[in-house]
Amino acid sequence: MNSSAFSKSKLPTLLSIVVPVYNEAGNISPLVDAIKKSVDNLSITYEVIFIDDGSQDGTWDAVTKVSRADPRVKGLSLSRNFGHQHAILAGYSIAEGKAVISMDGDLQHPPSLLPAMLREWQNGFKIVHTRRISHRKQPAFKRLTSKAFYWVFSLLTQVVIPEGSSDFRLLDRQVLDNITKFNDVEFFIRGVVNWIGFPATVLTYQENERFSDKSKYTFTRMFRLAVSGVVAFTSLPLKIGIWLGLFTSVLAFLEIIYIFIKFVQGVTVPGWASIVGIVSFLFGILFMILGCIGLYIANIHENLKNRPRFVIQQKVNLS
Ligand code: UDP
Ligand code: MG
């Protein structure tokens, strides 16, 4: 290490770049190169922290290799796969920067946007969101489900997450310190960041293709993230049962009156099929509501356990 690099590393870190990675061995080195290309000439102190979320493909070796060559590249490996959101949280909890940017490790979030994000922060914004303006390169199914999720989430929770949001954003130290205090066991950062307030702005970008390998978000993982996000942000689904119950009771009451009138007129109402139909329909609704209540109880149960949301196994270039 030369002396200027040494004195630089003594200065407080201005920017931390937090990158959660799960089986991204082929992306580590290209991403570090791309970050350096866009940040090095800003002459700021920065660190890049990779959080290896329980990879099995040599991602950790790739991280230690680049961090040996540059002390500003740091690594944290979790003891198993804890999921994208918790990996980001692990990164947030050790980042030292006055501004902290989280981005994906597959180069879909363009590092060339970093200087513009930093500029917005220097202009006084405490949160710099980003929005992809085109995701033509994503499969139609993913595009559709993502659009549907943001629409339903905003409708149910009154917390608006714009379509095209992801976990590519800058947070000021003050916002970050508040967020890491949240105790949600199912952490949904995109929701929290849109809920918390503070002066915020949005930058747009064109999404790149994944550099190497394929998406780690299977449909089940996406669905789980969506459900836990809704459960963490609103109890409205719990109350739907009341309205449905009220509606079906009124309907049943009207039906009884109808049957009574027919009875007085000397007509018996035939209806095996309608009875079976209505009963099975109502049972369907009943089980759905029960399942919904179950989701919330499970959430309370998980929160009561108060377990850590991630467990650290190893560190490199981190104390
Ligand atoms: N990721 C992670 N843990 C997981 C799943 C994904 O840390 O359990 C990381 C992944 O390595 C990537 C980022 O989260 O850096 C976003 O994942 P991906 O690119 O697979 O999602 P997509 O862009 O397809 O939504
Ligand atoms: Mg991706």
Side-chain angles (χ1 to χ4, degrees):
M1 196 193 300
N2 63 34
S3 65
S4 76
F6 182 75
S7 58
K8 236 179 193 176
S9 70
K10 285 284 172 194
L11 290 170
T13 309
L14 183 81
L15 174 67
S16 299
I17 301 166
V18 165
V19 190
V21 279
Y22 177 53
N23 293 342
E24 306 281 12
N27 288 324
I28 305 294
S29 175
L31 179 63
V32 170
D33 291 345
I35 290 176
K36 283 187 180 168
K37 209 173 129 205
S38 68
V39 183
D40 267 354
N41 53 11
L42 299 178
S43 49
I44 54 162
T45 48
Y46 70 92
E47 59 178 0
V48 181
I49 306 174
F50 284 102
I51 301 92
D52 176 10
D53 189 17
S55 304
Q56 301 108 18
D57 73 335
T59 295
W60 184 245
D61 291 340
V63 170
T64 46
K65 194 168 161 215
V66 281
S67 57
R68 234 176 278 130
D70 187 340
R72 292 173 303 185
V73 180
K74 305 171 181 183
L76 186 74
S77 87
L78 304 184
S79 59
R80 64 168 168 85
N81 181 253
F82 281 87
H84 183 204
Q85 301 291 292
H86 292 150
I88 295 177
L89 194 64
Y92 279 175
S93 70
I94 51 154
E96 289 184 341
K98 292 186 165 51
V100 178
I101 291 177
S102 55
M103 68 193 297
D104 287 357
D106 55 4
L107 286 132
Q108 282 194 297
H109 296 156
S112 55
L113 198 68
L114 299 179
M117 293 168 84
L118 211 59
R119 227 165 13 246
E120 292 294 2
W121 173 65
Q122 282 157 342
N123 287 342
F125 290 106
K126 298 214 174 229
I127 302 177
V128 184
H129 298 282
T130 67
R131 261 187 79 187
R132 63 173 170 247
I133 39 176
S134 140
H135 51 166
R136 271 174 295 126
K137 285 160 190 158
Q138 286 197 340
F141 180 71
K142 185 146 186 164
R143 239 178 304 160
L144 197 77
T145 46
S146 143
K147 200 174 175 149
F149 168 68
Y150 287 128
W151 185 75
V152 172
F153 186 91
S154 305
L155 191 77
L156 284 177
T157 64
Q158 317 295 314
V159 175
V160 177
I161 305 181
E163 188 198 333
S165 299
S166 66
D167 287 305
F168 184 25
R169 75 176 71 80
L170 179 148
L171 298 180
D172 178 79
R173 170 58 47 192
Q174 189 188 4
V175 181
L176 190 91
D177 286 344
N178 278 291
I179 285 182
T180 44
K181 277 189 220 136
F182 279 53
N183 281 326
D184 305 31
V185 66
E186 292 280 359
F187 207 65
F188 185 53
I189 305 175
R190 240 163 281 176
V192 170
V193 169
N194 282 284
W195 172 93
I196 198 164
F198 291 106
T201 186
V202 185
L203 293 177
T204 53
Y205 68 95
Q206 295 271 356
E207 187 171 67
N208 294 326
E209 296 244 34
R210 217 172 202 289
F211 185 76
S212 138
D213 217 332
K214 55 181 194 309
S215 173
K216 307 300 169 333
Y217 263 103
T218 56
F219 177 72
T220 348
R221 266 174 196 269
M222 256 168 31
F223 188 72
R224 222 183 293 148
L225 181 72
V227 172
S228 70
V230 171
V231 171
F233 271 86
T234 178
S235 50
L236 196 69
L238 276 179
K239 295 164 193 158
I240 289 171
I242 299 173
W243 295 106
L244 275 176
L246 212 64
F247 175 72
T248 46
S249 313
V250 170
L251 220 63
F253 182 70
L254 294 177
E255 200 177 320
I256 289 168
I257 294 177
Y258 169 75
I259 292 167
F260 183 71
I261 294 171
K262 286 286 176 192
F263 177 73
V264 171
Q265 291 170 348
V267 188
T268 40
V269 181
W272 181 87
S274 60
I275 290 173
V276 171
I278 290 168
V279 167
S280 46
F281 173 70
L282 289 183
F283 261 109
I285 289 182
L286 200 64
F287 281 125
M288 257 166 54
I289 293 169
L290 263 181
C292 190
I293 295 172
L295 270 178
Y296 281 85
I297 295 180
N299 191 269
I300 299 170
H301 174 69
E302 292 299 328
N303 272 305
L304 276 180
K305 283 197 280 190
N306 208 10
R307 287 199 189 154
R309 288 171 290 185
F310 54 83
V311 177
I312 296 168
Q313 186 176 7
Q314 287 182 75
K315 289 178 181 175
V316 55
N317 288 346
L318 285 164
S319 47

